Amino acid sequence: MPITSAEGSADSVSAAGPIMLELVDEDGRTIGTAEKLSAHVAPGRLHRAFSVFLFDDRGRLLLQRRALGKYHSPGVWSNTCCGHPYPDEPPFVAAARRTGEELGLAPALMREAGTVRYNHPDPASGLVEQEYNHLFVGTVTAEPQPDPEEIGETAFVTPAELDALMAEYPFSAWFMTVLDAARPVVREITGDAAGW
C-alpha cells in the first residue's frame, strides 16, 4: 500500500468570497442556498454533496488523507474525493471538477452510483455533515498530483489494506456510509476478484 505525500502548505484563504451550497429537502429537491460553513454548524442544514470512489486497474481504491489545514475533519483518511456542487451545478460535473482540482487527474470512467442521506457530527470540530450525497464510482489510469492545501497523502488500497488502515488511523465520519451505499456499483466496476 504505497502512500504518497503531498508537499506544501495548507493555510490558504479564499479571496473569491463565500462558497454557497444548495439546500435540499428529504427528496433531494433544491429549496435554497446557504454559505458553506453555516450549513455545517450544528444541528446542520440538509444540503447537496457528492462522494467519488476511483479504482486503478488492479481494483485498488484511491484514498486521500485530508490536509491538516482543512476546517472540517482535518487529517483523517477518506474516499477519493468529496465535496459540494455549487448552486445549479450538476453533481456529476461537480464531482469531475473537484477530482481535477484536488487530485490533478480526470477519471477514465465515472458513473452514478445512487444517493445516500446521512447526518454525521464531526466530534473534533463540532460541525455536522447533514447531507444528501450523490455517489460516483469510476476508474483512474493516471497518478494523482494532489493539491497540498486539500490533501496530505494519497494511497491505493485493497479491501484488506483498507481494513488495516482503518484499524490504525481515523477516517471521516461519513466514509463507511458512502462506501457501503456505493458498493453495488463498486463491485460492477472492479469485478468480483477485487473483493469489494
Side-chain angles (χ1 to χ4, degrees), residues 44-116:
R45 298 176 74 187
L46 185 59
H47 58 275
R48 193 176 311 285
F50 63 82
S51 290
V52 178
F53 297 87
L54 297 179
F55 296 82
D56 67 8
D57 60 0
R58 293 165 48 192
R60 298 179 305 168
L61 172 60
L62 175 57
L63 296 177
Q64 66 158 280
R65 186 177 63 80
R66 294 166 61 86
L68 293 174
K70 301 283 277 184
Y71 75 91
H72 190 320
S73 303
V76 302
W77 286 94
S78 198
N79 50 294
T80 307
C81 180
C82 55
H84 309 92
Y86 296 131
D88 298 321
E89 182 182 30
F92 186 93
V93 172
R97 173 181 56 77
R98 276 312 278 165
T99 300
E101 291 170 356
E102 289 190 9
L103 291 153
L105 53 78
L109 163 85
M110 191 168 75
R111 61 179 271 206
E112 294 182 23
T115 59
V116 63

